[in-house]
Amino acid sequence: MSLTPRRIISPIIAALVFSTPFVSYAQRMAVEAEHGMVVSVHELAAQVGADVLQRGGNAVDAAVATGFALGVVYPWAGPLGGGGFMMIHLADGRDIAIDYRERAPAAASRDMYLGPDGNVLKGPGSSTFGWRASGVPGDVAGWALALEKYGSHKLSWAELIEPARRLAADGHHITQFTASRFRSQAEKLGAFADSKKIFLNGGALWRTGDLWRQPELAATLARLQQNGPREFYEGETARLIADAMARNGGTLTLADLKNYTAVERVPVRMTYRGYEIVTMPPPSSSGIALLQMFAMIEPFDVAALGPNSAAKYHLFIEAMRRAYRDRAEYLGDPDFVKVPVAGLMDRNYIAGLMKNFDPAKATPSAGLAPGGPAGWEPPKVASVPSGGFAESTETTHFSIVDAEGNAVANTFTLNGGFGSGVTIPGTGVLMNNEMDDFTSKPGTPNQFRLIQGEANAIAPGKHPLSSMAPTFVFKDGKIFLVTGAPGGSTIINAVFQVITNVIDFNLPVSLAVDTPRIHHQWMPDVVNYDPYGLSKDTMDALRAKGHQFEERNFFGGQLVPVIERYPNDTMTIMVDPATHLRLGAADSRKPDSKAVGY
Ligand code: DON
């Protein structure tokens, strides 16, 4: 006689198995450490940062070492050919934002990605693929600036690069995830000789466990150690980049590299239920959008709605829709356009955005007007999306807290996975395709399906608008959370939900990070969600209010319950206010991620 599963499962076990738990994914405990903590998407990079902390370096020193190491072990997102943002909190109370975002080359122009028919170009020559897609990289300049002004000066520039150089020269063993990333982008990488040689093993493909060496990158890192950061912008490396660009119809020149500078900006900040949130100002859209969303939901008793009720999701979707609507209209590089920061963050203005919020009904995105903050003349309205998208994308965020209480939240990117696909011959440096973050054509969506406006039009020297959101949360003036995420347009919503999970629902930090999330970005007017993250009855209740769900993941891939397909992992640290323990939560969405503390 065979027992069917139904007969052998007791009612109690059945209740446990078949009820909808809050978390659908395996939970991991946060890693506790007394002194310092680094949480990164790759264990080797986290270990490099933690070693620096243990050797007496501060959080900024560790960030620089971790960043360089990620350039070696996480090549589709973190190499030297990209840019990003570093938020620094110093134990003396200062908060600093380092903007090392790429800038458009001098030869860039507003319509450079439009074909003769007026449509946005695809393929070679476009804003996403090949030699014309790159902005001037900022990583090296940004990390050098951070180190010079805020490093401990106990460890030299060369010493902080050394672990990365060794990883490149001696090699490291390829993980299953890395092998799969290389495989999945074989077509893109195969189009460029050096990318094919390095990332595809000349076409034979790398397998899990292979020892992978990157001698050209090791040599580039050695030149940086020897000649200092200007090597990248004026030295042999700069010459190799500029020559390759010139030979292949690229836009970037030696003068562009020479003229690149990273800049310090003033973070944006606002309180939410007594906590202070300090985050990235323009040219990232993230800080303003994030703070707008917090201000929109603060008047509501979110805790009482429960962590996964339809009422909560409805409120969050409506806040997201409104913040992303404003983002599309008003945000751009503040060095080029007047961004009405104070107007956008004014609480009365934000309350006005929610005036038409209906707890019973979704507000259709079509026809939703931007708010019209003080200090801005509304530009021409962007229209509804057309065209598609289908790209694997990647960025990476790491969080660090040191023994003194200094902290770094750092997000950097090549934009699309493996950026433009181009590796500069002889350097091992893979180049970004950050130019796609500009508005190629108002009303036409970019690879994140973001519709953007005139404020983010292309101009020489301009920073493309970003969604990257390295963020701090303070409790009673003390650092409490350090967080951030990759995921293009989804970043802002990922960070938003991690923080509300902690503040409103009191979730332990590992759960706050791992738990399923939703995403809405005004246009397209759909909700994306983690599979199994929403119960059917919750989705039905939301559909009844007028929301539509998209049966694809955030990036157009098939909706399947494989957590690693969801790129908006949040590498987060909580500092326990009672014990001061650093609790590192590496998001299980990324299989090689790790929190390493001491
Ligand atoms: O700056 C931005 O908003 C984008 N370039 C980030 C790209 C990204 O996060 C891709 N990630 N998975």
Side-chain angles (χ1 to χ4, degrees):
M1 188 186 83
S2 72
L3 290 173
T4 64
R6 201 174 296 131
R7 278 199 197 124
I8 57 169
I9 291 175
S10 75
I12 293 172
I13 293 176
L16 286 173
V17 171
F18 295 120
S19 64
T20 313
F22 184 66
V23 175
S24 319
Y25 306 130
Q27 291 177 50
R28 297 187 293 185
M29 282 181 71
V31 176
E32 291 179 358
E34 278 179 44
H35 309 288
M37 174 68 65
V38 182
V39 187
S40 169
V41 78
H42 200 293
E43 177 172 5
L44 291 172
Q47 189 64 56
V48 163
D51 286 345
V52 167
L53 294 181
Q54 215 165 19
R55 287 163 63 199
N58 71 6
V60 176
D61 301 337
V64 171
T66 303
F68 275 112
L70 281 165
V72 180
V73 299
Y74 204 73
W76 50 92
L80 305 181
F85 301 123
M86 185 187 290
M87 290 282 301
I88 302 172
H89 169 69
L90 298 174
D92 66 12
R94 283 178 291 162
D95 297 307
I96 298 112
I98 306 267
D99 167 4
Y100 60 96
R101 179 80 165 157
E102 295 90 335
R103 290 170 184 259
S109 59
R110 192 181 182 285
D111 296 334
M112 66 186 281
Y113 297 118
L114 300 185
D117 57 359
N119 289 327
V120 176
L121 293 170
K122 306 259 181 253
S126 71
S127 61
T128 53
F129 181 79
W131 296 88
R132 293 177 79 234
S134 301
V136 188
D139 291 338
V140 175
W143 298 339
L145 174 64
L147 197 63
E148 186 193 324
K149 288 198 72 177
Y150 304 107
S152 73
H153 299 285
K154 287 182 190 155
L155 294 158
S156 68
W157 169 254
E159 282 174 301
L160 295 171
I161 296 176
E162 181 57 12
R165 193 203 58 78
R166 270 211 309 270
L167 280 167
D170 302 346
H172 78 284
H173 293 281
I174 285 187
T175 66
Q176 182 184 326
F177 184 59
T178 299
S180 79
R181 290 309 311 256
F182 289 167
R183 235 183 4 253
S184 72
Q185 293 296 303
E187 201 183 324
K188 181 178 193 175
L189 295 166
F192 304 97
D194 277 60
S195 300
K196 183 173 175 182
K197 178 179 75 181
I198 296 169
F199 304 110
L200 303 179
N201 194 14
L205 295 183
W206 295 107
R207 281 174 315 189
T208 307
D210 283 350
L211 182 68
W212 182 45
R213 294 194 175 94
Q214 300 172 74
E216 291 98 339
L217 183 56
T220 299
L221 291 166
R223 284 196 303 277
L224 283 170
Q225 286 177 303
Q226 205 160 27
N227 306 332
R230 293 311 297 171
E231 160 64 28
F232 192 86
Y233 298 97
E234 295 175 34
E236 168 78 357
T237 310
R239 196 187 54 72
L240 288 166
I241 296 172
D243 286 355
M245 284 280 165
R247 277 198 311 276
N248 292 284
T251 32
L252 212 154
T253 65
L254 196 57
D256 288 323
L257 289 161
K258 268 198 181 137
N259 291 336
Y260 184 87
T261 47
V263 282
E264 259 187 74
R265 301 199 185 269
V266 181
V268 287
R269 52 179 73 223
M270 203 186 260
T271 58
Y272 176 66
R273 302 193 202 284
Y275 294 79
E276 188 171 36
I277 297 166
V278 179
T279 179
M280 194 67 209
S284 185
S285 62
S286 63
I288 290 175
L290 200 54
L291 298 179
Q292 281 193 334
M293 293 196 291
F294 282 116
M296 280 188 240
I297 67 165
E298 194 167 25
F300 297 84
D301 188 353
V302 171
L305 298 179
N308 41 13
S309 67
K312 183 204 97 164
Y313 287 122
H314 177 62
L315 174 66
F316 280 24
I317 293 164
E318 293 305 317
M320 290 170 181
R321 184 197 309 282
R322 286 162 175 78
Y324 278 78
R325 178 68 187 99
D326 268 13
R327 176 200 191 279
E329 205 71 27
Y330 304 120
L331 296 179
D333 182 355
D335 297 344
F336 283 71
V337 291
K338 189 167 168 255
V339 180
V341 176
L344 288 165
M345 295 201 340
D346 179 83
R347 282 192 185 263
N348 287 330
Y349 167 76
I350 298 169
L353 295 178
M354 285 295 268
K355 277 236 168 72
N356 60 353
F357 170 72
D358 181 344
K361 264 219 231 79
T363 308
S365 286
L368 178 67
W376 179 258
E377 287 282 309
K380 301 224 172 1
V381 181
S383 62
V384 183
S386 60
F389 73 107
E391 254 233 68
S392 166
T393 55
E394 203 56 76
T395 296
T396 188
H397 174 86
F398 58 82
S399 294
I400 302 180
V401 176
D402 69 19
E404 279 72 47
N406 305 301
V408 166
N410 186 94
T411 316
F412 67 128
T413 187
L414 291 180
N415 196 23
F418 297 95
S420 63
V422 169
T423 301
I424 303 294
T427 65
V429 173
L430 188 58
M431 296 296 289
N432 70 81
N433 61 357
E434 219 72 53
M435 293 296 285
D436 190 60
D437 274 347
F438 279 117
T439 309
S440 288
K441 183 179 179 183
T444 300
N446 71 358
Q447 69 170 312
F448 303 110
R449 294 190 292 171
L450 286 168
I451 295 191
Q452 317 199 76
E454 289 295 339
N456 188 30
I458 304 173
K462 192 172 174 183
H463 300 93
L465 187 63
S466 173
S467 302
M468 291 188 287
T471 298
F472 298 133
V473 179
F474 294 89
K475 189 176 188 190
D476 304 322
K478 298 258 159 48
I479 189 82
F480 175 59
L481 283 178
V482 183
T483 191
S489 54
T490 72
I491 293 172
I492 304 167
N493 289 333
V495 170
F496 174 66
Q497 288 167 88
V498 168
I499 294 173
T500 59
N501 282 343
V502 173
I503 295 181
D504 291 308
F505 302 114
N506 211 16
L507 291 190
V509 65
S510 55
L511 199 50
V513 158
D514 279 347
T515 202
R517 298 191 263 271
I518 57 149
H519 173 70
H520 191 289
Q521 61 177 46
W522 170 57
M523 289 288 189
D525 192 351
V526 290
V527 182
N528 296 101
Y529 61 105
D530 283 331
Y532 303 135
L534 292 177
S535 67
K536 182 175 179 316
D537 41 13
T538 306
M539 289 173 75
D540 286 346
L542 288 163
R543 282 195 186 99
K545 291 178 193 287
H547 297 289
Q548 289 185 53
F549 291 88
E550 189 168 52
E551 306 299 322
R552 297 188 294 177
N553 75 17
F554 299 140
F555 295 100
Q558 220 189 337
L559 196 59
V560 289
V562 178
I563 200 163
E564 72 191 40
R565 291 188 65 94
Y566 295 86
N568 63 358
D569 48 277
T570 58
M571 301 296 153
T572 303
I573 300 174
M574 176 189 280
V575 179
D576 185 321
T579 62
H580 307 296
L581 285 171
R582 284 81 169 105
L583 309 177
D587 198 318
S588 60
R589 285 170 181 79
K590 284 287 151 67
D592 300 331
S593 66
K594 201 80 168 185
V596 182
Y598 79 104

